[in-house]
Amino acid sequence: MKTLPGYIKYVDRNGDGIITAAQDQGYVGKSATPKHTGSLNLFGNWKGFDFDLLFSLGIG
């Protein structure tokens, strides 16, 4: 089966031919912690209404 973005990828890390969570669990490729993060907060009010938008991004 072809893997697509977002699919879980399983790797036999210790080479025993069996994939188990206790022995083969870990991150494949990139780290779980993003290298760069950023956010943008927009806020305002108009005729008694308050607006607040928060955009957040993490790039690994």
Side-chain angles (χ1 to χ4, degrees):
M1 183 173 153
K2 181 180 176 184
T3 58
L4 297 173
Y7 280 17
I8 297 174
K9 298 172 188 161
Y10 297 98
V11 175
D12 184 15
R13 291 182 177 265
N14 61 358
D16 65 354
I18 302 170
I19 296 176
T20 60
Q23 297 175 344
D24 299 314
Q25 190 173 14
Y27 291 99
V28 178
K30 298 182 181 179
S31 171
T33 308
K35 292 182 182 179
H36 306 286
T37 60
S39 63
L40 174 66
N41 191 9
L42 303 172
F43 56 91
N45 57 24
W46 179 71
K47 293 188 179 183
F49 290 99
D50 293 328
F51 300 98
D52 194 358
L53 296 172
L54 174 63
F55 299 97
S56 181
L57 178 66
I59 300 173

